Amino acid sequence: MENLILTLQKRRRLMFYILFTIALVGIGVDRFFEISAANYYSPELQCYFVYGLIAYKLAELAILYFFFYHRHMLKCSLAEHDESLREKFEKNAKRFFMLVPHGSVIFGIISYKLTAELAYFLLFINIAFVALFLVRPQAYFQHKHKQ
């Protein structure tokens, strides 16, 4: 179990570094290149799209957390010696730690292109940072073993 926790901690830390790097690249692109907002829709409608993306991302994170991570984490911690559950949890935890930054970056790029506002891009990056910060692999297992 310790190897699994260490692997997930490394993956989580790697995702923090990747998000930070992407945020710096986004700031650099905004500073050095002129990006204009897409003119497919009216500016008011574009803002509604971005607000919809934000709402969707928050709902998606709750669902991803519950189905891909938390549910399997509980099963794995209750049946600690079941190898198949551990493998399933590891697979779903790795998927969670990959999907959170990936989805946030994609939604951030879409919102940046729709509005040409860096703040929306950075908002999605921050949503991913917070989600990764709140989901700590070692915390639950350590708490479980202390009881």
Side-chain angles (χ1 to χ4, degrees):
M1 190 58 76
E2 289 295 321
N3 288 339
L4 173 62
I5 292 171
L6 289 173
T7 302
L8 294 178
Q9 286 176 328
K10 287 178 186 176
R11 182 175 290 270
R12 179 176 171 253
R13 194 174 357 198
L14 177 66
M15 291 303 136
F16 278 124
Y17 292 139
I18 290 171
L19 282 173
F20 183 73
T21 303
I22 291 172
L24 289 177
V25 168
I27 292 169
V29 166
D30 186 62
R31 181 168 170 94
F32 295 113
F33 297 101
E34 184 67 32
I35 305 291
S36 60
N39 56 3
Y40 309 125
Y41 308 104
S42 68
E44 182 179 286
L45 191 57
Q46 290 172 343
C47 284
Y48 287 132
F49 280 139
V50 171
Y51 298 151
L53 288 174
I54 294 168
Y56 177 83
K57 180 46 97 178
L58 294 175
E60 176 194 42
L61 284 176
I63 291 168
L64 278 176
Y65 173 70
F66 181 74
F67 285 114
F68 280 153
Y69 189 82
H70 187 72
R71 185 173 64 123
H72 289 98
M73 179 182 62
L74 289 175
K75 286 181 185 178
C76 186
S77 67
L78 293 175
E80 211 173 299
H81 302 292
D82 187 352
E83 189 65 27
S84 65
L85 284 178
R86 189 193 65 77
E87 288 174 6
K88 194 171 190 176
F89 170 68
E90 184 175 8
K91 176 182 147 191
N92 286 309
K94 286 179 179 180
R95 185 182 302 158
F96 175 80
F97 285 124
M98 187 270 306
L99 286 175
V100 168
H102 181 264
S104 293
V105 168
I106 297 299
F107 279 21
I109 291 170
I110 291 169
S111 62
Y112 181 63
K113 182 58 183 159
L114 280 173
T115 63
E117 299 234 2
L118 182 65
Y120 289 120
F121 176 74
L122 294 177
L123 174 68
F124 280 102
I125 298 295
N126 282 327
I127 288 172
F129 264 111
V130 169
L132 289 175
F133 180 76
L134 292 176
V135 178
R136 295 185 310 263
Q138 76 281 10
Y140 185 79
F141 288 107
Q142 287 174 352
H143 176 71
K144 184 75 175 165
H145 290 290
K146 287 181 183 176
Q147 291 180 347

